[in-house]
């Protein structure tokens, strides 16, 4: 079992957001930047700029946080004053 799990938020130049969870943040960000999955949402919209992350001691806790962060958000939503980036720890 991995030592840590991460919830992360990526953005592109048009402020479209992507919220994800991983056990290897450095590798996962590299994959987004390299577009290793060319048909993915992040590759299609060039979403690869890390704007936020949280570290958790368990994967289930990170998944719970990721799901709560997505409430009210859809893939491709934009950052605006009425939709602040979720923050805080669970």
């Amino acid at each position: 079992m991995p030592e840590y799990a991460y919830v992360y938020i990526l953005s592109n130049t048009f402020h479209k957001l992507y919220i994800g969870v991983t056990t290897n943040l450095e590798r996962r960000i590299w994959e987004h930047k390299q577009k290793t999955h060319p048909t993915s949402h992040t590759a299609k919209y060039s979403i690869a700029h890390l704007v936020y992350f949280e570290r958790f001691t368990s994967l289930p806790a990170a998944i719970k946080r990721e799901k709560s962060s997505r409430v009210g958000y859809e893939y491709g939503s934009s950052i605006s004053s009425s939709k602040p980036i979720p923050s805080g720890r669970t």
Side-chain angles (χ1 to χ4, degrees):
M1 184 169 193
E3 187 175 349
Y4 295 110
Y6 301 87
V7 173
Y8 61 97
I9 300 176
L10 302 177
S11 182
N12 66 4
T13 56
F14 299 105
H15 304 290
K16 294 205 178 285
L17 299 177
Y18 174 83
I19 302 171
V21 65
T22 185
T23 56
N24 188 329
L25 186 61
E26 186 176 333
R27 186 205 71 219
R28 191 66 183 115
I29 300 306
W30 181 87
E31 289 174 351
H32 285 295
K33 290 181 181 288
Q34 298 300 314
K35 299 182 181 179
T36 58
H37 306 283
T39 60
S40 71
H41 176 78
T42 57
K44 181 178 178 182
Y45 294 101
S46 297
I47 301 173
H49 178 73
L50 181 65
V51 294
Y52 182 82
F53 75 91
E54 289 182 48
R55 184 173 70 177
F56 295 85
T57 56
S58 73
L59 186 57
I63 291 170
K64 182 178 178 182
R65 176 66 172 132
E66 177 199 23
K67 288 181 182 200
S68 71
S69 298
R70 288 185 179 177
V71 173
Y73 286 84
E74 296 179 16
Y75 282 119
S77 65
S78 296
I79 298 170
S80 70
S81 59
S82 64
K83 287 186 175 182
I85 294 175
S87 64
R89 294 207 181 265
T90 57

